[in-house]
Amino acid sequence: MNPTYFLFLIYIIVCTLIITYWAAKRSKTTNRFYIAAGSLTGFQNGMAIAGDFISAASFLGIVGMVAIRGYDGFLYSIGFLVSYLVVLFLIAEPIHRQGKYSLGDVICSRFPSGKMRLIMAFCTFIISILYIIPQLVASGFLLRLLLEINYSVSVIVIGGLMTIYVVVGGMIATSWVQIVKTVLLMSGTFLLTLIVFSHFNWDVSKLIEEVKTGTPLGENFFLPGNLFDNPLEFLSLQLALVLGTAGLPHILIRLFTVSNTYEVRRSLISATWIIGIFYIMTLALGLGTVAFLGYDSLMALDPTGNLAAPLLAKAVGGDFLLAFVSAIAFTTIVAVVAGLVISATTAFAHDIFHHIVKKGKSTEKEQLRAARWSALGIGLISTLFALRLETINVTFLVSMTFIVAASSIFPVLLLTFYWKRFTQVGVIMGLLSGLVASLLFVMLGPHIMNPQDGWIRGEAVFSLYNPGIITIPIGFVGAYLGTILSRRQSQSIAEFNEFYIQSQSGIASRGEKKWKA
């Protein structure tokens, strides 16, 4: 075990636990536990959103994708960045105004019903678990690589830490862990980028020439077609990434952690800048990997490319810089997983326990106890899944998460805010059709059915790896058919107008301001 790596990781763990201890003293109410009492500033929340959004798959995967696939690897990250424009312009402010703790609150602000809460909570739970598992599996491999400890021990350590953060510190601890992660991530990638450019005397043309000689793609490295030879696959992937972000519960509930819509806008604008700069730096790191390591060396050490950033760090800065970058990757995983756990926890404890089981009559103490037990259960379930999936490639779960979110939650949120004819039946049909179609098409696709290394050894029934181009319209069509086949509208025009004005402006139709505290 390398002592430098070990000390860096221990330092990170101690720092995050101190944050959690500090947050625990401030998480005595549900308002603080679920949404940090709306106490974050827009910039702080923007950093937390970036920390929540940039996963290990982005940090480790995109650098490797650029190094191996060139131009197409960078295209992969474009969807992540553009997705925030959809959130910013279409749903961010209405969600903040109509919700309190969860997406169930948002839907029920127009369609108050226990059934609505239950289905939305179920979708939130499924999406969170789907996203947590690959993060935990990746963390197991990372710790095993760095510290040479058993995979199972690695997963249990990470699973235990994320559970402690949420159970003890709630949203306050989660937010500050994500903020710390963003500072470390941006510092580390910025430092690596500077080192890469400094080796070429800040002359980008020299770096590009070195890349051309270091990859078998040559001139084609900077041209499209090295990853996405099927335009339909590329379009489908981008649709899932762009619209999926607008349906990810762990990102959307962060809009409740600020006090007003001005801070919501500041949150998303800050997050967009941070995420945009980060992805531009991953491009530089991908080029630097090829220039310093070379394609053949990278493939010999790690054919998946996921270790491109750590290997580049070691090449330009030795063990110390590698330990720093690995600590960043570790913090990245912990921060994202903690955000997912609190999202699932809120859905279960607030929507199901408080509103459905207790009919909205549980005490503050009961709600907090339910939330902490929920977080513990979710952490345990996720860890057990990750332990069982060590030998299975679970990277498809990341894309499935975006596809499910884009096909189920996004259509329902959009139509809830903007379609006056929309009904409760439409909500249910939209959520269920999008969810079922996403799971079904991924199961029938090459991620699962593959003659070489699929779970099912056989030709895929559906040829696209990312079926969003089919499943997203299915979610919308399900919502539309459910609505027009309903016997009557669930709301009068006057009721919808009041809801619409309130969601878009924060002002009730009667004229009084109803800014959400």
Side-chain angles (χ1 to χ4, degrees), residues 252-501:
L252 298 180
I253 65 168
R254 293 220 59 86
L255 302 175
F256 303 137
T257 60
V258 292
S259 58
N260 55 56
T261 51
Y262 172 72
E263 297 297 341
V264 168
R265 288 193 290 272
R266 282 189 67 198
S267 300
L268 290 171
I269 291 170
S270 303
T272 304
W273 272 107
I274 294 168
I275 293 169
I277 293 170
F278 167 77
Y279 281 120
I280 289 173
M281 290 193 292
T282 60
L283 172 62
L285 299 189
L287 297 178
T289 302
V290 179
F292 281 93
L293 292 177
Y295 177 87
D296 293 335
S297 299
L298 174 62
M299 296 302 286
L301 293 168
D302 174 32
T304 66
N306 289 329
L307 296 178
L311 290 172
L312 173 64
K314 186 168 187 176
V316 301
D319 274 352
F320 185 84
L321 198 53
L322 171 59
F324 181 47
V325 169
S326 301
I328 292 171
F330 173 80
T331 318
T332 296
I333 292 169
V334 168
V336 172
V337 172
L340 290 161
V341 171
I342 198 158
S343 165
T345 297
T346 305
F348 190 85
H350 175 66
D351 287 327
I352 296 179
F353 174 78
H354 176 63
H355 280 285
I356 297 175
V357 176
K358 291 292 186 179
K359 310 294 183 189
K361 296 178 180 175
S362 60
T363 64
E364 192 85 1
K365 191 175 179 181
E366 287 175 328
Q367 290 181 57
L368 273 177
R369 190 188 304 129
R372 291 189 163 117
W373 278 108
S374 300
L376 191 62
I378 291 161
L380 182 63
I381 291 171
S382 307
T383 304
L384 289 176
F385 269 114
L387 288 173
R388 300 280 298 175
L389 296 175
E390 176 186 358
T391 58
I392 298 173
N393 186 340
V394 294
T395 52
F396 75 94
L397 292 179
V398 176
S399 59
M400 185 189 279
T401 303
F402 280 85
I403 292 166
V404 171
S407 307
S408 57
I409 292 182
F410 174 69
V412 165
L413 286 177
L414 193 68
L415 296 177
T416 296
F417 291 134
Y418 297 104
W419 190 22
K420 62 185 176 184
R421 177 70 173 83
F422 202 31
T423 66
Q424 292 191 31
V425 178
V427 174
I428 295 170
M429 289 285 289
L431 285 172
L432 294 182
S433 60
L435 176 65
V436 172
S438 303
L439 298 177
L440 184 64
F441 275 85
V442 171
M443 294 294 175
L444 296 177
H447 277 305
I448 302 294
M449 302 182 69
N450 194 310
Q452 280 78 41
D453 56 357
W455 287 11
I456 301 173
R457 300 299 171 94
E459 292 297 333
V461 176
F462 186 71
S463 62
L464 295 181
Y465 283 89
N466 299 283
I469 199 167
I470 300 295
T471 61
I472 294 169
I474 287 176
F476 276 102
V477 169
Y480 175 75
L481 289 178
T483 298
I484 63 169
L485 294 177
S486 303
R487 290 184 178 178
R488 61 181 178 80
Q489 287 183 251
S490 58
Q491 286 182 307
S492 66
I493 298 298
E495 287 173 330
F496 172 76
N497 287 340
E498 185 173 0
F499 167 84
Y500 181 76
I501 292 170

Side-chain angles (χ1 to χ4, degrees), residues 13-87:
I13 291 172
V14 170
C15 287
T16 52
L17 288 177
I18 291 172
I19 291 172
T20 305
Y21 175 74
W22 166 78
K25 297 180 178 179
R26 292 160 175 77
S27 298
K28 303 295 185 186
T29 65
T30 51
N31 193 33
R32 287 182 173 275
F33 186 90
Y34 289 136
I35 59 169
S39 59
L40 297 184
T41 67
F43 183 66
Q44 289 170 344
N45 197 38
M47 293 179 72
I49 289 173
D52 214 354
F53 185 73
I54 301 173
S55 66
S58 292
F59 177 49
L60 301 176
I62 295 294
V63 176
M65 193 80 77
V66 172
I68 295 173
R69 303 291 186 175
Y71 179 82
D72 282 5
F74 185 63
L75 280 183
Y76 205 95
S77 62
I78 297 297
F80 289 117
L81 181 60
V82 175
S83 62
Y84 272 95
L85 299 180
V86 178
V87 181

Side-chain angles (χ1 to χ4, degrees), residues 87-110:
V87 181
L88 179 63
F89 288 115
L90 291 180
I91 62 173
E93 293 183 25
I95 281 181
H96 176 81
R97 292 189 181 109
Q98 299 295 348
K100 185 178 181 183
Y101 297 145
S102 68
L103 294 184
D105 290 338
V106 177
I107 295 297
C108 288
S109 65
R110 183 174 174 189

